[in-house]
Amino acid sequence: MSERAAPVTTTEEQHDDQEPARDAEESVDADATAEAASETEQQPVTTGAEAVVRALENAGVEHAFGVQGGAIMPVYDALYDSEITHVTMAHEQGASHAADAYGIVSGEPGICLATSGPGATNLVTGLADADMDSDPMVALTGQVPTEFVGNDAFQETDTTGVTTPVTKDNTFSSEPDRVGTDVSEAFALAREGRPGPTLVDLPKDVTNAETDREPDEPAVPHTYEVQEEADREIVDAAAERIENAQRPVMLLGGGVIKGEASEACREFAIEHEIPVVTTMPAIGSFPEDHELSMEMAGMHGTGYANMAITHCDTMLAIGTRFDDRLTGGIETFAPDAEVIHVDIDPAEISKNIHADYPLVGDAETVVDQLSEAVDDSPQITKWRAQCQQWKSDYSMAYDTPDDEPVKPQFVVEALDEATSDNAVVTTGVGQHQMWACQYWTYTEPRTWVSSHGLGTMGYGLPAAIGARFAADDDQEVVCIDGDGSFLMTLQGLSVAVREELDITVAVLNNEYIGMVRQWQDAFFDGRHSASDYGWMPEFDKLAEAFGARGFRIDDYNDVADTIDAALAYDGPSVIDAHIDPQANVYPMVPSGGDNGQFALTEDQL
Amino acid sequence: MTRGLDGPSPEERPTPAGRRNKQGIRIDPEIEAKHDPRRTVISVLVEHEPGVLSDVSGLFSRRQFNIESLTVGPTAEDERARITLVVEEPDPGIDQIKKQLRKLLPVIAVRELEPDAMRRELALVKVNAERPDRVAAVADMYDAKTVDSSPETATIEITGARQKIEAAIETLGQFGIREIARTGTTALARGTDDTAVPPTESAATEAKQTQQFTQPADDD
């Protein structure tokens, strides 16, 4: 690995520092390689493909993830001379997840490339994933030459048609003189306002064609307008509501992290001593070891978080879209609460939960507005005590008798203990993902990388690859995966080995699609239809076959030493952790249920 | 080693008294807010570019909004087109439609029209015409025109509000209808009121455009 993006770890200061830091870096680079750069990079563009690559360079892109192919070849040819590091992935789906994770960790759009047809369709899962989670990402797809478009040519699909529902915007780029600007615009759109994935479809004749047109600087189209500041009157009314609240909570959503509002939210919560609940995408926005933190709410959220949101009378919800995994049944969601909803996307206001105080604007700006408007902290000593009581009543814990197979929660806690606070955690989707939420203590934003809205199994490993390129050198990257999830994209190990990426994968292996098995036990009379994965390979040996290091955990005595050894290895390592196959995720709110009625055991479902 | 998750079981926990309705609105125990579906007209000014119609119709189908009719045509400016949509939804749904439409990149302006807006559609009705004089008489009653006739048939062109067209079709039914083709509704706001203009061109209009109309369209 050569160089990585500037770290985006915690605070607003660091965020502010980023720009000058990058500028400085660039100017050093520019000085060092002034002549070379001016000769290689500053050549005028001569083809559409060069304009595409120039647009990426202008946008400050350092890494791109993709797979070569027929229709995208001109762009790859232009990349050959570029300073941009291209990471060849083993599958386009991996490219899209890696780009997605890169965007989450760095805050800047991740870039993925694929050829037309199957290359483009393989990106779709990653695009849908990024779209659901509002992650900034740019996909560049090759397309058959324009004269063949619509004729079912070799490796043709209607890529813009296929991806319209799963992108923030997409463009079929038909003009060589315009193609660079299309890419610049896609980049700007991906990160502006509510972030999301954008796609530019690049017909081979357009990228091959001659053009001397330099791309314009990244800018959003004139029809895209973002409101930064919320309406003054509603801010004042909301502030008054907060001052008079008896039982307030702050509900932080993923938008808090994307809007760089974590620090502002921390300050606001701590100044007014308001308990804080997060959604899953917001994990890390508020330190989970802080007294005010109630951690994650929702289907597998903590009991105390769910009690707090159910019983609050005032909810300051920031950057959340009230997904059903958070709200459970709408009828019973925070039924006594007046909702103050801050979101940069007006369409999120009152989509699922009615907003009594709609505040459209940038999360950080609006929280600052609220900070100024709130003069007196609410008098809520009793409420805070109640929240602490819930924390002790429903504390997260599990049994670890020595004679049973290793509990997955124990492995997660041991990994957390063995790594530093700023370690980046990626996951697949399933039981292991929930344990990774529940039993790891997150304290910094952009250290939790997961597939939230779409719930994409197989996300973990390619995400770890993307995260590794975006993370700081001293940040560990740990992928907590499930056996079923890992199996879906483990060809990415070849990439991690080739790039010598320092990644530790811990597969919590219960030889089941565990979450499905849990639901089958609870709701389908224990009929394990197609969820029994007793045929799993030995992942430690598989890792060795790829050229990575393999480890195995079978009992409690192995856990600490194995984790230390895997973390110490300077390259990709895989721990095949054989866990209690019957371990389940609790608390649990059944689908559409009442958050306050979370079950602590199967008997309570 | 440690205890499992415990704490009071669900039935031992306090529960709040309040509830929300299906639209996520807190139910006031005194007056429960109810939103019945209503029919309304939404005018959308868009960039005249390929794919914009599929963007709009795709949005409606994937978000499960009930679309009654959709018409599209050019405007005074070459690079812009106007889409007129008739929808039937409860108010939160109508509000959501407007917001989601505004998110589409080629969409310049979105507005729900007042109930008194001018709304028109066109129908071509081909009927059996053994008695052309009687067909002509009925057409006259609806200000309709006969645009084609043959020894067996007459085709009538009717323009007007939806209700008028429905009534005309019903009356023409006595002759035996062979075929009908109808456009959807197209509409413009009355007087100097702008139907849908970009927010930057008229801040005042935009402010007005966020208002909600609770009564149904007056030709329904």
Side-chain angles (χ1 to χ4, degrees):
Chain A
M1 276 196 57
S2 49
E3 31 176 273
R4 291 176 187 134
V8 184
T9 45
T10 48
T11 63
E12 164 188 19
E13 309 159 0
Q14 278 169 318
H15 178 57
D16 287 343
D17 284 344
Q18 248 189 326
E19 297 304 317
R22 189 187 304 131
D23 288 347
E25 228 172 72
E26 272 173 9
S27 63
V28 171
D29 279 354
D31 289 343
T33 56
E35 264 94 297
S38 65
E39 272 160 38
T40 55
E41 287 182 42
Q42 300 309 318
Q43 293 290 330
V45 303
T46 58
T47 64
E50 284 178 8
V52 169
V53 172
R54 178 66 51 83
L56 296 179
E57 289 168 347
N58 289 353
V61 171
E62 292 176 29
H63 303 286
F65 304 88
V67 179
Q68 187 48 296
I72 196 75
M73 274 170 67
V75 177
Y76 271 91
D77 186 63
L79 265 178
Y80 198 71
D81 296 325
S82 170
E83 294 290 308
I84 295 170
T85 314
H86 178 267
V87 183
T88 300
M89 300 297 288
H91 188 284
E92 289 89 350
Q93 184 189 351
S96 58
H97 293 326
D100 182 55
Y102 186 91
I104 293 172
V105 175
S106 73
E108 288 292 308
I111 311 294
C112 58
L113 296 102
T115 195
S116 63
T121 56
N122 281 346
L123 291 181
V124 171
T125 305
L127 288 165
D129 194 297
D131 194 50
M132 284 286 258
D133 291 349
S134 306
D135 296 328
M137 176 168 138
V138 179
L140 303 176
T141 49
Q143 183 56 278
V144 301
T146 38
E147 62 175 311
F148 294 141
V149 169
N151 291 340
D152 303 325
F154 176 66
Q155 293 195 330
E156 181 191 357
T157 42
D158 172 11
T159 302
T160 52
V162 168
T163 58
T164 292
V166 294
T167 49
K168 183 172 170 181
D169 189 54
N170 65 24
T171 309
F172 177 85
S173 199
S174 55
E175 301 288 333
D177 284 349
R178 169 76 208 175
V179 65
T181 297
D182 282 342
V183 173
S184 293
E185 208 168 75
F187 190 91
L189 262 174
R191 65 176 171 189
E192 195 77 2
R194 178 182 183 166
T198 58
L199 180 144
V200 187
D201 202 26
L202 304 163
K204 197 172 185 179
D205 58 324
V206 172
T207 47
N208 261 334
E210 287 184 10
T211 179
D212 57 2
R213 174 72 193 275
E214 296 287 333
D216 296 323
E217 288 303 310
V220 296
H222 71 282
T223 55
Y224 187 81
E225 283 178 17
V226 179
Q227 189 178 329
E228 296 285 334
E229 263 188 45
D231 185 292
R232 192 77 247 168
E233 276 177 38
I234 308 176
V235 168
D236 290 340
E240 202 185 321
R241 175 72 205 179
I242 293 168
E243 287 170 3
N244 296 319
Q246 316 265 305
R247 305 186 305 277
V249 296
M250 284 173 76
L251 172 65
L252 307 187
V256 168
I257 293 175
K258 292 175 210 313
E260 300 292 353
S262 303
E263 194 55 34
C265 288
R266 287 174 189 212
E267 281 170 14
F268 189 86
I270 291 167
E271 185 184 346
H272 302 295
E273 296 186 87
I274 299 171
V276 177
V277 170
T278 70
T279 68
M280 189 162 73
I283 285 177
S285 58
F286 193 82
E288 292 185 335
D289 52 4
H290 194 281
E291 192 189 359
L292 287 169
S293 172
M294 306 296 281
E295 300 168 48
M296 181 180 84
M299 181 174 278
H300 290 299
T302 64
Y304 34 100
N306 281 326
M307 288 304 273
I309 57 168
T310 303
H311 290 270
C312 69
D313 74 342
T314 304
M315 175 180 281
L316 172 54
I318 305 166
T320 174
R321 61 190 176 86
F322 293 106
D323 180 85
D324 58 272
R325 283 295 190 270
L326 167 73
T327 61
I330 294 293
E331 291 89 343
T332 50
F333 179 74
D336 290 345
E338 295 220 3
V339 175
I340 303 162
H341 190 181
V342 179
D343 207 294
I344 198 153
D345 181 355
E348 285 308 332
I349 306 284
S350 299
K351 186 183 78 179
N352 295 333
I353 294 295
H354 178 75
D356 301 283
Y357 303 86
L359 296 174
V360 178
D362 168 68
E364 190 186 16
T365 310
V366 179
V367 173
D368 287 345
Q369 282 182 286
L370 279 169
S371 268
E372 253 175 58
V374 175
D375 296 322
D376 306 305
S377 299
Q379 298 301 306
I380 51 168
T381 318
K382 254 180 75 183
W383 170 243
R384 274 197 301 273
Q386 174 67 74
C387 287
Q388 293 308 316
Q389 182 60 45
W390 282 327
K391 274 175 103 163
S392 93
D393 283 352
Y394 301 108
S395 64
M396 298 296 292
Y398 54 93
D399 295 312
T400 53
D402 291 337
D403 55 347
E404 273 191 28
V406 178
K407 296 289 181 190
Q409 298 94 330
F410 187 86
V411 178
V412 172
E413 285 187 330
L415 273 163
D416 186 13
E417 251 166 59
T419 50
S420 44
D421 278 353
N422 67 351
V424 175
V425 177
T426 77
T427 73
V429 167
Q431 285 184 317
H432 68 276
Q433 179 191 26
M434 294 302 124
W435 290 315
C437 291
Q438 293 175 334
Y439 290 93
W440 189 292
T441 305
Y442 299 88
T443 55
E444 303 298 337
R446 302 192 185 281
T447 59
W448 164 251
V449 181
S450 193
S451 167
H452 310 108
L454 197 68
T456 307
M457 283 177 68
Y459 180 84
L461 177 62
I465 293 170
R468 182 69 274 172
F469 281 95
D472 209 5
D473 277 335
D474 66 2
Q475 273 182 293
E476 288 142 316
V477 174
V478 176
C479 168
I480 298 175
D481 221 334
D483 47 327
S485 251
F486 188 53
L487 192 68
M488 286 191 169
T489 53
L490 57 71
Q491 71 276 53
L493 270 179
S494 62
V495 179
V497 169
R498 187 196 68 226
E499 300 284 332
E500 299 173 19
L501 302 182
D502 193 6
I503 293 170
T504 305
V505 181
V507 183
L508 304 184
N509 187 348
N510 58 6
E511 301 195 347
Y512 278 111
I513 294 289
M515 191 60 94
V516 170
R517 202 264 301 128
Q518 178 171 343
W519 284 47
Q520 285 170 331
D521 285 338
F523 308 116
F524 292 90
D525 301 325
R527 289 150 55 88
H528 295 166
S529 180
S531 62
D532 189 336
Y533 274 37
W535 40 271
M536 280 288 112
E538 292 179 76
F539 291 117
D540 51 335
K541 291 184 182 165
L542 198 62
E544 298 281 349
F546 274 104
R549 283 294 301 276
F551 299 89
R552 184 177 165 115
I553 290 177
D554 280 307
D555 61 57
Y556 286 109
N557 298 328
D558 300 340
V559 176
D561 290 348
T562 309
I563 285 174
D564 285 345
L567 287 170
Y569 178 63
D570 188 19
S573 54
V574 176
I575 305 169
D576 191 0
H578 288 259
I579 56 159
D580 178 1
Q582 300 309 321
N584 279 343
V585 184
Y586 287 102
M588 175 179 184
V589 180
S591 204
D594 177 344
N595 279 336
Q597 301 288 298
F598 52 86
L600 299 166
T601 63
E602 195 180 331
D603 304 336
Q604 293 177 352
L605 280 172
Chain B
M1 194 163 114
T2 52
R3 67 202 156 84
L5 278 169
D6 50 21
S9 62
E11 57 275 14
E12 291 162 344
R13 294 174 207 150
T15 50
R19 282 292 178 269
R20 289 179 189 271
N21 67 16
K22 291 243 178 298
Q23 288 138 355
I25 302 170
R26 242 164 357 111
I27 296 168
D28 185 334
E30 302 288 311
I31 15 146
E32 184 171 339
K34 256 180 140 176
H35 292 283
D36 292 326
R38 66 186 174 87
R39 173 181 284 116
T40 192
V41 179
I42 295 173
S43 185
V44 191
L45 192 65
V46 298
E47 302 270 342
H48 202 168
E49 63 184 32
V52 61
L53 190 58
S54 108
D55 283 354
V56 170
S57 56
L59 171 71
F60 274 72
S61 73
R62 73 175 171 274
R63 293 208 177 258
Q64 297 282 290
F65 295 137
N66 184 20
I67 183 166
E68 296 233 322
S69 78
L70 181 154
T71 65
V72 58
T75 64
E77 289 148 289
D78 287 345
E79 72 277 15
R80 290 178 179 176
R82 182 181 308 285
I83 297 176
T84 308
L85 293 146
V86 180
V87 296
E88 190 165 352
E89 284 283 334
D91 272 318
I94 291 171
D95 204 37
Q96 189 59 213
I97 289 172
K98 291 190 278 186
K99 288 170 173 174
Q100 292 292 346
L101 280 169
R102 286 196 185 105
K103 281 175 72 169
L104 296 177
L105 260 291
V107 168
I108 300 161
V110 178
R111 183 182 176 193
E112 183 183 357
L113 294 182
E114 272 99 344
D116 74 343
M118 288 165 300
R119 46 188 79 211
R120 293 290 180 271
E121 67 174 281
L122 169 96
L124 293 171
V125 186
K126 190 187 285 182
V127 297
N128 293 321
E130 285 88 27
R131 298 284 307 272
D133 52 328
R134 288 179 57 190
V135 174
V138 170
D140 251 9
M141 282 158 45
Y142 291 96
D143 257 345
K145 273 197 306 197
T146 307
V147 289
D148 178 58
S149 70
S150 73
E152 289 90 29
T153 67
T155 302
I156 320 293
E157 172 199 313
I158 316 156
T159 319
R162 201 171 58 99
Q163 260 191 345
K164 173 180 155 184
I165 290 173
E166 308 259 294
I169 291 170
E170 205 184 324
T171 316
L172 289 165
Q174 60 183 297
F175 307 114
I177 292 173
R178 295 169 77 102
E179 279 179 316
I180 296 178
R182 287 171 71 167
T183 69
T185 298
T186 190
L188 278 184
R190 284 191 182 272
T192 53
D193 199 3
D194 291 314
T195 303
V197 291
T200 43
E201 286 179 28
S202 164
T205 314
E206 170 66 9
K208 238 177 73 186
Q209 284 174 3
T210 57
Q211 74 185 82
Q212 300 267 335
F213 308 107
T214 45
Q215 66 269 58
D218 62 0
D219 63 345
D220 285 341

